[in-house]
Amino acid sequence: MIESPNHSENKRFWKRKKEVRPQEILKAATELFVEQGFSATKVAMVAKKAGVQPGTIYVYYENKEALFKAVIHAAMDPVLQYSNDFLKQYTGSSKNLLFELTHQWWKLMESEACAGIPKLVTAESKNFPDLTRFYMDQVLVHAKRIVEGVLEYGIQKNDFFVENLDISARIMMHSLHEITVYAHSFDSLADEKLDIELYLDQLASFFYKSLSNPHPVDRPLKGPEIQALNTEENHQ
Amino acid sequence: MIESPNHSENKRFWKRKKEVRPQEILKAATELFVEQGFSATKVAMVAKKAGVQPGTIYVYYENKEALFKAVIHAAMDPVLQYSNDFLKQYTGSSKNLLFELTHQWWKLMESEACAGIPKLVTAESKNFPDLTRFYMDQVLVHAKRIVEGVLEYGIQKNDFFVENLDISARIMMHSLHEITVYAHSFDSLADEKLDIELYLDQLASFFYKSLSNPHPVDRPLKGPEIQALNTEENHQ
Amino acid sequence: MIESPNHSENKRFWKRKKEVRPQEILKAATELFVEQGFSATKVAMVAKKAGVQPGTIYVYYENKEALFKAVIHAAMDPVLQYSNDFLKQYTGSSKNLLFELTHQWWKLMESEACAGIPKLVTAESKNFPDLTRFYMDQVLVHAKRIVEGVLEYGIQKNDFFVENLDISARIMMHSLHEITVYAHSFDSLADEKLDIELYLDQLASFFYKSLSNPHPVDRPLKGPEIQALNTEENHQ
Amino acid sequence: MIESPNHSENKRFWKRKKEVRPQEILKAATELFVEQGFSATKVAMVAKKAGVQPGTIYVYYENKEALFKAVIHAAMDPVLQYSNDFLKQYTGSSKNLLFELTHQWWKLMESEACAGIPKLVTAESKNFPDLTRFYMDQVLVHAKRIVEGVLEYGIQKNDFFVENLDISARIMMHSLHEITVYAHSFDSLADEKLDIELYLDQLASFFYKSLSNPHPVDRPLKGPEIQALNTEENHQ
DNA sequence: TATGAATGAGTCTTCATTCAT
DNA sequence: GATGAATGAAGACTCATTCAT
């Protein structure tokens, strides 16, 4: 079922007609998929939440899988449209740019449309490889480029000192990605919620401290203390 | 029915020691759950992979959900047994400690038993709240404590300068957690695989640069450049 | 799988009016439950008998138990609607009233809808306590009230002489109940069927002789003949 | 499964060896079958209650059905051994004989071994036709003969006046049977329990009044009041 | 376009029965 | 005789999908 090869002709099936009905279905589906995952979300639940009958969903979407893909694509629209042009016109401080990066990422990802999507894609990555690839190619690479742009901005202004641009960008991008996943998987169940704004500030600050530190760091030679860490030998 | 005649060779399968049977089931279940998630994994698939009949699974596990929980618990056992005692004995440099932290985390999480579990728990968090809480309380909090221990070690030796211990520890812990999730959700589908060892080195280095940077960082006052980032106005 | 190709002719089965569908299911279920009991009746058998697919049953009934309860309730509806109003209008002889009672009970219980239900409820009483209570409260109590009404009618007309109204009513009600149970449990297997009409006449006659007998009867003092009956001493 | 014809060779399989083990199994099985019926009673439950392993049951009984039949047969042993010889030596009053009949029946049927069996046989009659026939031939006919003997005793002494011996005996036998079925199906769930001793006394008294009433009773001619009873026309 | 009753293949789960020990 | 782990066929129930209206 999953990943059947005969979808070549509907590559853009998620560009659904702009009527109200499919929007409601998409909205309902997004919420349910994000909350419960693909398999656990039943088409009947989506229909009920959207205020339509199950059959109606199949008027707009070929099947549940197509609906799922449409949900992801629709949710990623805002992100895909988020251009990195702004970097070309940005003239502020490198430090401030980091704070903007973290807070804007959060604002973007937690906008009503795509909140929870990163977690959802993460969860279903193995079952929807093509969707995952789309997500990686479009969203993650896009995000990484923006981070790279930020780093280059700081490097150019001699504010940032980066040994390995690719991996540094990945580290930062992953940190940003992680927080959105965490928020939807764990924080909602935590006894005391994370203060996101504070977290984002600290994250930017953490980034800045690292990037503005001009001293290169090499891994020390491995010493005998490594064994101290490895206590696995006494596990069954 | 159709497939029944070709079972003549498994007539003595159940002769194996009874102790190993649940282990085999657990192993098969772990792999399948990690690969496909809870709902998409069928009990019959687990049975087949474990080389038993579907009914046998229910000799050892009350139901599919119990099997799932057993998988998570069993996988997390090595991690939970990984104590932070080593910090008390550790006498090396703060810098080296960071490298140990990242590499040991990876080694621990990617050991055969629990590879992919973080991703799995992340994915099913909403469907298994109690399991998620167990994971948060045991694994994440445990991991955070170790990170805090590392930070305190460096602070005490005057190598690290940390404004907010809690959030700094979270940031680092999340970074570590993220790579295990990323490895199982995305990296396996990536065209060019991430060089994990290099990534871990860079991550430790990134941590070190930030932590060893004594200059406090505050968020700059918000300026007009914020709007430049926000391009959301042209979305629905 | 093997049987799938021979369904081409039922393609339009579901075109029948939706109102009749649950009725057909109920009818099929009633017959099977009465014949075989709850556990021995398989949902698939009900579906087949009703001319629907197994899944269709779950469109109308939450589960097998709900279907069972619906069967009992639907079957008892006619009985519950059978009011005892007629007693208020009845002006005939007390004797005739007894004949009416027995024959009407039989006619009512053996009407298509509820034939065999008393036996079924009797059989499943332990497994469905709430249903049994419903049956007791509604059907048995109802029946007993009618019998009590009959007795009171005769007493008032000085035709009947009853020492203990409650127990006399129970005795008669039980006799009536018994024949419906007997008919469905045993008589169908008997070599020579019971002549029900004759039996009912004799039962009414038996009732009448007892009720019209004005001589009180007390239990004689226990004598030595009791031991003569008890031959249990030679059992384990 | 039920009623397979290849049991001809084990017609007396219930004459089980007199060891302790099968007795315990039989005892446990009897209680569970009586409480829950055949299908709802699981072999594993019987094993657990008997303090043995499931496999052990199959050492003594060919299968679940054989166990069931053994239960019924063993439980009926006391009844089958209950001879009607006592009638030949009975010299007391006819009235007292009726009281003995009712109370002895109850004592016999409610002895530990066979309490609840009538209800069980009633419930499973359709699924075990041969068992039902055995029960009818042995127990019910046996009981009816005793009742007939009682009636003949009274007739001979000119105390009883019976128009139709067969049906009168059936009526009385059914009344006795009914009370044992009722006790196990309904009375245990009733808010206020039936006072059995009182009921039995009243039943004997009811019998006596009827039997000692010398006036023949014929059914009156049907009159117009019959329609008054029939209110079925206003049911759907 | 929208419906919603019906489907029927598929899933989880049960449990009577077996058999090597 | 007794075990009890393993079986595997069968049953209750689900749900994505269809299609006549």
Side-chain angles (χ1 to χ4, degrees):
Chain A
M1 288 169 195
I2 281 168
E3 198 50 20
S4 49
N6 60 347
H7 288 321
S8 49
E9 73 279 15
N10 30 5
K11 271 189 175 169
R12 289 177 172 265
F13 56 84
W14 68 88
K15 292 291 182 192
R16 65 281 176 279
K17 311 165 199 68
K18 295 293 184 190
E19 282 91 3
V20 180
R21 196 59 55 98
Q23 290 296 341
E24 284 165 345
I25 293 169
L26 214 51
K27 186 161 168 275
T30 303
E31 289 173 34
L32 290 170
F33 280 139
V34 164
E35 254 188 58
Q36 311 176 347
F38 178 76
S39 289
T41 297
K42 314 303 174 192
V43 173
M45 295 161 67
V46 175
K48 195 175 179 185
K49 188 157 200 165
V52 298
Q53 294 297 330
T56 308
I57 289 178
Y58 290 83
V59 173
Y60 297 97
Y61 303 96
E62 195 180 337
N63 52 29
K64 191 186 176 189
E65 198 174 323
L67 174 61
F68 183 71
K69 293 181 177 177
V71 160
I72 304 298
H73 283 278
M76 285 302 104
D77 252 15
V79 177
L80 298 182
Q81 300 202 18
Y82 184 92
S83 128
N84 53 7
D85 292 347
F86 81 95
L87 277 172
K88 293 170 188 160
Q89 58 203 56
Y90 182 79
T91 56
S93 71
S94 303
K95 189 207 281 184
N96 184 59
L97 190 52
L98 288 177
F99 283 89
E100 292 303 327
L101 177 71
T102 59
H103 285 274
Q104 287 299 336
W105 168 270
W106 178 257
K107 201 189 271 180
L108 189 62
M109 294 308 262
E110 291 306 301
S111 67
E112 197 192 348
C114 53
I117 296 295
K119 181 215 133 179
L120 181 57
V121 175
T122 300
E124 304 293 344
S125 59
K126 283 292 195 313
N127 297 321
F128 295 90
D130 58 337
L131 203 59
T132 307
R133 261 185 220 103
F134 159 82
Y135 184 81
M136 290 171 75
D137 293 346
Q138 301 296 312
V139 182
L140 295 186
V141 167
H142 189 76
K144 182 159 164 272
R145 287 236 183 82
I146 291 176
V147 174
E148 285 171 344
V150 168
L151 294 182
E152 282 159 356
Y153 183 92
I155 290 165
Q156 202 179 321
K157 291 191 78 173
N158 223 28
D159 293 326
F160 296 166
F161 307 91
V162 174
E163 297 166 64
N164 185 320
L165 182 67
D166 174 70
I167 291 189
S168 293
R170 280 172 184 269
I171 287 172
M172 291 171 65
M173 185 266 283
H174 285 167
S175 287
L176 294 170
H177 196 250
E178 159 78 14
I179 183 68
T180 65
V181 173
Y182 176 86
H184 286 271
S185 284
F186 299 111
D187 200 48
S188 57
L189 284 169
D191 293 330
E192 36 178 338
K193 303 279 175 283
L194 186 62
D195 179 340
I196 292 284
E197 292 298 313
L198 179 58
Y199 185 91
L200 296 172
D201 273 347
Q202 291 286 318
L203 185 63
S205 169
F206 195 91
F207 286 166
Y208 184 71
K209 282 187 187 172
S210 190
L211 296 170
S212 63
N213 192 326
H215 312 300
V217 174
D218 287 320
R219 181 174 191 180
L221 293 176
K222 292 190 181 188
E225 61 277 327
I226 294 172
Q227 282 79 37
L229 274 156
N230 195 339
T231 63
E232 271 184 278
E233 54 266 19
N234 44 6
H235 303 156
Q236 45 130 291
Chain B
M1 288 170 190
I2 290 168
E3 310 231 22
S4 50
N6 61 348
H7 288 319
S8 50
E9 72 277 18
N10 343 1
K11 272 193 176 168
R12 291 170 184 246
F13 263 31
W14 62 270
K15 274 184 82 177
R16 278 172 283 180
K17 283 197 225 110
K18 64 181 172 184
E19 295 84 19
V20 299
R21 192 53 49 95
Q23 294 299 333
E24 287 167 340
I25 294 168
L26 212 54
K27 187 161 166 273
T30 303
E31 289 174 32
L32 289 170
F33 281 141
V34 164
E35 254 186 59
Q36 312 178 346
F38 178 77
S39 292
T41 298
K42 312 305 173 188
V43 173
M45 297 160 65
V46 176
K48 196 173 179 185
K49 187 157 202 165
V52 297
Q53 294 295 336
T56 307
I57 289 177
Y58 291 85
V59 173
Y60 298 99
Y61 304 96
E62 201 180 336
N63 51 31
K64 192 185 173 188
E65 198 171 321
L67 175 60
F68 182 70
K69 292 182 178 178
V71 161
I72 305 297
H73 281 270
M76 287 300 106
D77 227 30
V79 175
L80 298 183
Q81 298 206 18
Y82 184 90
S83 107
N84 50 10
D85 292 346
F86 80 95
L87 276 173
K88 293 170 190 159
Q89 320 159 356
Y90 184 80
T91 55
S93 70
S94 303
K95 189 206 283 185
N96 185 59
L97 189 51
L98 288 176
F99 283 88
E100 292 302 329
L101 177 72
T102 58
H103 285 274
Q104 288 297 338
W105 167 270
W106 178 257
K107 201 189 269 179
L108 192 61
M109 293 307 264
E110 290 306 301
S111 67
E112 197 193 347
C114 52
I117 296 295
K119 180 215 132 179
L120 181 56
V121 175
T122 300
E124 303 292 344
S125 59
K126 283 292 195 311
N127 296 321
F128 296 91
D130 55 337
L131 203 60
T132 307
R133 260 185 219 103
F134 160 81
Y135 184 81
M136 291 171 76
D137 292 346
Q138 302 295 313
V139 183
L140 295 186
V141 166
H142 190 79
K144 181 159 166 270
R145 286 235 184 83
I146 291 176
V147 173
E148 286 172 343
V150 168
L151 294 182
E152 280 158 358
Y153 183 91
I155 291 166
Q156 200 179 319
K157 292 190 79 172
N158 224 29
D159 293 326
F160 295 166
F161 308 90
V162 175
E163 297 167 64
N164 186 319
L165 183 68
D166 174 69
I167 290 188
S168 293
R170 281 173 184 269
I171 288 172
M172 291 170 66
M173 186 266 283
H174 285 169
S175 288
L176 294 170
H177 196 249
E178 159 77 13
I179 49 172
T180 67
V181 173
Y182 176 86
H184 285 271
S185 285
F186 299 111
D187 199 48
S188 56
L189 285 169
D191 293 330
E192 38 177 336
K193 304 278 176 283
L194 185 62
D195 179 340
I196 290 286
E197 291 299 311
L198 178 59
Y199 185 91
L200 295 172
D201 272 348
Q202 290 287 318
L203 185 62
S205 170
F206 194 91
F207 286 166
Y208 184 71
K209 282 187 188 171
S210 190
L211 296 170
S212 64
N213 192 326
H215 313 298
V217 174
D218 287 322
R219 181 177 191 178
L221 293 176
K222 291 190 183 189
E225 61 278 330
I226 294 172
Q227 282 80 33
L229 274 157
N230 195 340
T231 64
E232 272 184 278
E233 55 268 20
N234 43 6
H235 305 154
Q236 49 122 301
Chain C
M1 289 171 190
I2 291 168
E3 310 230 20
S4 50
N6 62 347
H7 287 320
S8 49
E9 73 277 18
N10 346 3
K11 272 192 174 169
R12 289 170 185 246
F13 263 31
W14 62 269
K15 273 184 85 176
R16 276 172 284 180
K17 282 196 225 111
K18 65 182 173 185
E19 295 83 20
V20 299
R21 193 53 50 94
Q23 294 298 333
E24 287 168 338
I25 293 169
L26 214 53
K27 186 161 168 272
T30 303
E31 289 173 32
L32 289 170
F33 280 141
V34 165
E35 253 187 59
Q36 313 179 344
F38 179 77
S39 292
T41 299
K42 311 305 172 188
V43 173
M45 296 160 66
V46 176
K48 197 174 179 184
K49 188 157 202 164
V52 298
Q53 293 297 100
T56 307
I57 290 178
Y58 292 87
V59 173
Y60 298 99
Y61 304 96
E62 199 178 338
N63 51 33
K64 193 185 171 187
E65 199 171 321
L67 174 61
F68 183 70
K69 293 182 177 177
V71 160
I72 305 298
H73 281 270
M76 287 301 106
D77 227 29
V79 176
L80 298 182
Q81 299 206 17
Y82 183 89
S83 108
N84 51 8
D85 292 348
F86 81 96
L87 277 172
K88 293 172 190 156
Q89 321 159 358
Y90 184 80
T91 55
S93 70
S94 303
K95 188 206 284 186
N96 185 60
L97 190 49
L98 288 176
F99 283 87
E100 293 301 330
L101 177 70
T102 58
H103 286 274
Q104 289 298 337
W105 166 270
W106 178 258
K107 202 190 269 180
L108 192 60
M109 292 308 262
E110 291 306 301
S111 68
E112 196 193 349
C114 52
I117 296 295
K119 182 216 132 179
L120 181 56
V121 175
T122 300
E124 303 293 345
S125 60
K126 284 291 195 313
N127 298 321
F128 296 91
D130 56 336
L131 203 59
T132 306
R133 259 187 220 100
F134 160 82
Y135 184 80
M136 292 171 73
D137 293 346
Q138 302 296 314
V139 183
L140 296 186
V141 166
H142 191 77
K144 182 160 165 269
R145 287 236 182 82
I146 291 176
V147 173
E148 285 172 344
V150 168
L151 294 182
E152 280 158 356
Y153 184 90
I155 291 166
Q156 201 181 316
K157 291 189 79 172
N158 223 30
D159 294 326
F160 296 165
F161 307 91
V162 174
E163 296 166 64
N164 185 320
L165 182 68
D166 174 69
I167 291 189
S168 293
R170 281 173 184 268
I171 288 171
M172 292 170 64
M173 185 265 284
H174 285 168
S175 287
L176 295 169
H177 197 248
E178 161 78 13
I179 48 172
T180 66
V181 174
Y182 177 86
H184 286 272
S185 284
F186 300 112
D187 199 49
S188 57
L189 285 169
D191 293 332
E192 36 178 338
K193 304 281 175 281
L194 186 61
D195 180 341
I196 291 285
E197 291 298 313
L198 179 58
Y199 185 92
L200 295 172
D201 273 348
Q202 290 287 318
L203 185 62
S205 170
F206 195 91
F207 287 166
Y208 183 71
K209 283 189 186 169
S210 190
L211 296 170
S212 62
N213 192 328
H215 311 299
V217 174
D218 286 321
R219 181 177 192 176
L221 293 174
K222 291 191 182 189
E225 60 278 329
I226 294 174
Q227 282 80 35
L229 274 157
N230 196 340
T231 64
E232 272 185 276
E233 55 269 17
N234 43 6
H235 304 155
Q236 48 125 304
Chain D
M1 287 168 193
I2 281 170
E3 199 50 19
S4 48
N6 60 348
H7 289 320
S8 50
E9 73 280 17
N10 30 4
K11 271 190 177 168
R12 291 179 170 263
F13 56 84
W14 67 88
K15 292 290 183 193
R16 63 282 175 280
K17 310 164 200 68
K18 294 293 185 192
E19 283 92 2
V20 181
R21 196 59 55 96
Q23 290 295 341
E24 285 166 343
I25 293 169
L26 214 51
K27 186 161 169 274
T30 303
E31 289 174 33
L32 290 170
F33 280 139
V34 164
E35 253 188 58
Q36 310 176 348
F38 178 77
S39 289
T41 297
K42 314 304 172 192
V43 173
M45 296 160 67
V46 176
K48 196 176 179 185
K49 189 157 200 165
V52 299
Q53 294 297 332
T56 308
I57 289 178
Y58 289 84
V59 173
Y60 297 98
Y61 303 96
E62 196 180 336
N63 52 31
K64 192 187 175 187
E65 197 172 323
L67 174 62
F68 182 70
K69 292 181 177 178
V71 160
I72 303 298
H73 283 278
M76 286 301 104
D77 250 15
V79 177
L80 298 182
Q81 299 202 19
Y82 183 92
S83 132
N84 52 7
D85 292 347
F86 81 95
L87 277 172
K88 292 170 188 158
Q89 56 203 55
Y90 182 78
T91 55
S93 71
S94 304
K95 188 206 283 186
N96 185 59
L97 191 50
L98 287 176
F99 283 87
E100 291 302 329
L101 178 70
T102 58
H103 286 274
Q104 288 298 335
W105 167 271
W106 177 257
K107 202 189 269 178
L108 190 61
M109 294 308 262
E110 291 305 302
S111 68
E112 197 191 348
C114 52
I117 296 295
K119 181 215 132 180
L120 182 56
V121 175
T122 300
E124 303 293 343
S125 59
K126 283 293 195 312
N127 297 321
F128 296 90
D130 58 337
L131 202 58
T132 307
R133 260 185 220 103
F134 158 82
Y135 184 80
M136 291 171 74
D137 293 346
Q138 301 296 314
V139 183
L140 296 186
V141 166
H142 189 75
K144 181 157 164 274
R145 288 237 181 81
I146 292 176
V147 173
E148 285 172 344
V150 168
L151 293 182
E152 280 158 356
Y153 183 91
I155 290 166
Q156 200 181 318
K157 290 191 80 171
N158 224 30
D159 292 328
F160 297 165
F161 307 91
V162 175
E163 297 166 65
N164 185 320
L165 183 68
D166 175 68
I167 291 189
S168 292
R170 281 173 185 268
I171 288 172
M172 291 170 65
M173 186 266 285
H174 285 169
S175 286
L176 294 170
H177 196 250
E178 159 78 13
I179 183 68
T180 66
V181 173
Y182 177 85
H184 286 272
S185 284
F186 299 111
D187 199 49
S188 57
L189 284 170
D191 292 332
E192 34 178 339
K193 304 279 174 283
L194 186 60
D195 179 341
I196 292 285
E197 292 298 313
L198 179 58
Y199 185 91
L200 295 173
D201 273 347
Q202 291 286 319
L203 185 61
S205 170
F206 195 91
F207 286 166
Y208 183 72
K209 283 189 185 170
S210 190
L211 297 170
S212 63
N213 193 326
H215 311 300
V217 174
D218 286 321
R219 182 175 191 178
L221 294 175
K222 292 191 182 189
E225 61 277 332
I226 293 173
Q227 283 79 36
L229 272 157
N230 196 341
T231 64
E232 272 184 277
E233 55 269 19
N234 43 6
H235 303 156
Q236 44 127 295

